[in-house]
Every structure is written in structure tokens, then in C-alpha cells.
């Protein structure tokens, strides 16, 4: 349960950690932060986004809720090396974009007097660093809580409360398996597609002819090359299955073009159009009704 | 050369034909239109988008410049059946999205006293019909002129002038081969990707978890199922080559994930990010400099 006197700790003041800090401090919570980058700590403190910052993890011993905003392997290593600083009974959360392996690794080694509740705020962006922290990106975004076998109802409820305080619009609970399968399709497959479309050949000479569709399709090819390989490997069973299925679908459509099979192409295009409507946002629906 | 007294003819008052009519009539040109749909003609006349409309192609005998806004095969059939109505010395243009086969078919059978100048206004949208006609979509868009071997300098100059009158922001000339290769990658491959992403499985249950990236990537899966199979087949050599190359690139990236080859994944992501920057619009560049 989060109360007015709850003290938050943020590990890693990057774009997400910084956004958490800004959102929480704007609501007058005490926010402590640790990072290996002193200038980020100074910047955040100067702007009032954190109450206090330090390179020394022991600062977090005062915190009731600690959120790791580190990349997956860095998070797991941090637990190994620094979990002794955490207050007994504190709640640990995170922001990592894949869950099964991370949850298993963290839960295997975490002290029994600290509970870990896995969360995935789906408000990432490719720009890195505190300078891009912007808690307004949480508005309209999804916050996924991923309870594990050992989680208490109290911890899950606190995660819901945290998401509301941060300003997320939709809060959902998924199992680790459901989460990683969903991310494999919606997020990881689409990033591999955008990256492959850029890498298949140097087509930058075509930029002058490019319309909004191509730009929309490849915007996410602007990608964090440090983070995403970790995320891909940690979910490679799901992602590989999605790539295989997608490639098979592309090849079967190619066959229809080769065969000049207008009827089946037409059916495929109608099915795609119909399914895509389910993903429309209100704004797009309005446009189509016009 | 277009002058104040030039009379325009539009064949087919759909979304593009209607947009041409609106743009030209707004600049006080006389615009005649033929369509098989009388209610579209009445609607356009009532709104002042055309001067006169008819189901009878002979109306176009008064026109100096005639623009076919029909689908490729319908355009080719129209020439076969109705080209006798065209005024001697008139200029014929079009809006079809693939060029090599269309230009060959039209030029093979067109009267020698009528010149055809192939054009591709890259301002298509998936919504169909006069109700969606909107000449403002030409602003910021590309107009490609695709001269053939037989085109006169005068006809090419008139096509430039037409594009300016319509309000296009960028006007370029490409050979039929360059045009179709460019379209095969930028437009057709991307539509096959978006459609395949929708068709690979029914993932509409994931709509609640979908962020802007997935929506951006699949917006063009809302596709005109009558038009696009024609466009795909008319460019199947280019499109098939692009699909094969793209699929190979996806599979090679999948291999890196399977092999946990972090270094090469990182290189691929950096290359994609770098190349994607060349496609940025000014607005996006501003965002990234922030």
C-alpha cells in the first residue's frame, strides 16, 4: 500500500527511471535514486525530480518501494551484488520488457524478506538518457503487471496503485508466459521487421520519394542497440516462432502474386483490413467514419 | 502548356479523380468528368467541383487535358473502347501506381494524334470514393512524372505545370523502370508486410496492449482489395525480388538471435538506426535534436 510517507527508490536514472522520478516527485513523494552517472543525479536533484541521489546503493536502505530501471542483465547483476542494501519488507519492481527469464533469475536469488513484483510499463522510446525523461508519455499507455507464483495480493495491489500514480491509462495483469508471447508479436517481431526493412539494402537514395506509410513502418528502426539484443535473446523461443510464421505468410502471399490469384489475394486483403480495424484508436475510427 | 482556358477532363470521380477535380476547379479551370456513377457526378456538380459531368465519354471531346483516374486494367480497357472521343492533339495522363506495363499497353494502342504522359501522384489513401476526395492531401506529397521514349518536352513540361497547379510539394521525373523498382520497395513491399502481419494469425485479442508502434506499422493493412492485387501483379518481378531479399534478411537476423550473437545484432541495429535517419522528416529531426 502506497501512502503519503512511502519512500521510493529508483535504480538507474535513464529515460524510464527519470520519467518515474518526475511523475512521483510531481505528486510529492520522496524519491531517492542511485546511478553510476553523477551528472544525471545532479541534474535530477537540481530540477527537483529526486529528493536525493547517490552512486552508493546503500542510499536505497531507506526506501519502501524500489524500482529497477536497468537493462535485464544489469538488473540481475545488481540484485546479486547489492540486494543486501534493501530494507527488510521492501517491495522491488522493475521495467524490463521481457519477463520469464528475468523473473526466474531474480526470484532465485532474492532475499526472502523482499518481494519482487514484475511490471512492464509499455511507454518505452528509443531516445536514451535522463534528458528524454517525460512522464507525460505514461498517459494513454499500458502498464502490465506480471504476477509470479510467489506474489502476494498486497504486492499486486500496490503495483496497480503505482501505475495509477504514474498516470498510466490502462493497467492489466498477464502471466509471464502471456506477457512474453504478446511482446514477441506486438513489439519484438515488429522491431525485427523495421530493422530488416532498413538493412535489406541501402535504399536511402529513395528518401525523397517516401510517403508517410514508409516512415510510419520504419520509425522503430531507430532502436537502442544496447538494450534490444538482450530482449530478443531473452525471448528467442517466442520471437523465433513469430518470425517463422510471418516469413511463411509473406511467402504464401508472394505465391499468390506469382500465380496471379486475384481471388485469394482479395480475400487476404479483406481479412487484413477487417482485423486491422480492431486495432484502431478512437481517433482513427473517427477518421474512417467521416 | 496549361492556360486559363485549358479544359480538363477527368475519367473516374473516385478519391483521386475527385481530388483532381476539386483542386482544379478551386483554381477556376473548367473541369468535365465522366463516370459510370451518376450520383458521384451529381454530387461533384452540386458542389462546384466539376463544371459538367456525364456517363457518356463523348463529353471529353471538349478537353485539352484528360486524366484517367481509373484502376490500371480499367484504364487500358477504356482506351480500347473510348479513345475515339478524345480531341486530336489532347494530352492524356493518369494516376496509376505502376508504370511499365501500363505505359506499354496504352502506347501500343493509343491514337498517334494523342500524347500520353504517365504520372503517379503519390497521395493515395485507402478510403475509396468521391466522399474522401481531398486535394489538401497533395500538399507535402510527391508527384512523379514517368516519361516514355515517345514523350515530347512539351508534354513533360505540362505535367510539371499540372503538378504545381494541383499543389504537390515535390515533383520528380523517373524512368518507368526506376519508378516501378522504387514503388516495389517503398510501397508494395511495405503493404505486403502490413497485410502479412495482420494475416499471420488472429491477434486481435492483443489490441488492448497495442502501442503506437504496432499501429503505425499496420495502418496500411487497411487496403483497397480491388486495386492492389492488380498493382502487385503488374510489378511482380520487382515485388517478388524485394520480398525474397526482405525474407532473407529477416532469417539472417533470426539466426543472430538464435546464436546469441550480440555483436552482430548490435551492428545491424546501429546500421538500421543510421539509415532510418535519412528518411526523417523535418518534424522528426526536430524531435531527435531536442
Amino acid at each position: 500500500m502506497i501512502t503519503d510517507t512511502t519512500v521510493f527508490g529508483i535504480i538507474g536514472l535513464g529515460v524510464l527511471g527519470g520519467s518515474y522520478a518526475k511523475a512521483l516527485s510531481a505528486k510529492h513523494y520522496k524519491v531517492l535514486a542511485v546511478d553510476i552517472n553523477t551528472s544525471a543525479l545532479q541534474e535530477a536533484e537540481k530540477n527537483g525530480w529526486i529528493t536525493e541521489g547517490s552512486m552508493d546503493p546503500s542510499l536505497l536502505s531507506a526506501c519502501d518501494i524500489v524500482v529497477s530501471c536497468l537493462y535485464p542483465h544489469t538488473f540481475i547483476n545488481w540484485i546479486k551484488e547489492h540486494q543486501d542494501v534493501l530494507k527488510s519488507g521492501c517491495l522491488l519492481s522493475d521495467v524490463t520488457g521481457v519477463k520469464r527469464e528475468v523473473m526466474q533469475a531474480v526470484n532465485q536469488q532474492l532475499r526472502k524478506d523482499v518481494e519482487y513484483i514484475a511490471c512492464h510499463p509499455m511507454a518505452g522510446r528509443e531516445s536514451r538518457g535522463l534528458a528524454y525523461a517525460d512522464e507525460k508519455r505514461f498517459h494513454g499507455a499500458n502498464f502490465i503487471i506480471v504476477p509470479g507464483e510467489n506474489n502476494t495480493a498486497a504486492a499486486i495491489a500496490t503495483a496497480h496503485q503505482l501505475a495509477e500514480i504514474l498516470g498510466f491509462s490502462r493497467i492489466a495483469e498477464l502471466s509471464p508466459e502471456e506477457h512474453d508471447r504478446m511482446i514477441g508479436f506486438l513489439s519484438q517481431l515488429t522491431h525485427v521487421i523495421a530493422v530488416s526493412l532498413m538493412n535489406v539494402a541501402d535504399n536511402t537514395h529513395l528518401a525523397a520519394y517516401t510517403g508517410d506509410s514508409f516512415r510510419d513502418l520504419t520509425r522503430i528502426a531507430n532502436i537502442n542497440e544496447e538494450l534490444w539484443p538482450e530482449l530478443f535473446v531473452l525471448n528467442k523461443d517466442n520471437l523465433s516462432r513469430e518470425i517463422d510464421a510471418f516469413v511463411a505468410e509473406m511467402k504464401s502471399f508472394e505465391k499468390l502474386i506469382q500465380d496471379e490469384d486475384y481471388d485469394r489475394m482479395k480475400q487476404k486483403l479483406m481479412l487484413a483490413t477487417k482485423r486491422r480495424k480492431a486495432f484502431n484508436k478512437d481517433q482513427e475510427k473517427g477518421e474512417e467514419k467521416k
Side-chain angles (χ1 to χ4, degrees), chain A residues 42-50:
Chain A
Q42 286 165 1
E43 176 80 6
E45 202 168 330
K46 192 184 73 186
N47 288 299
W49 301 334
I50 60 173

Side-chain angles (χ1 to χ4, degrees), chain A residues 53 58 67 70 74 76 107 123 138 143 161 188 229 233 240:
Chain A
S58 65
V67 182
L70 303 172
T74 319
I76 294 164
N107 284 324
F138 297 161
F143 189 94
Q161 204 186 349
Q188 297 192 322
V233 169
S240 200

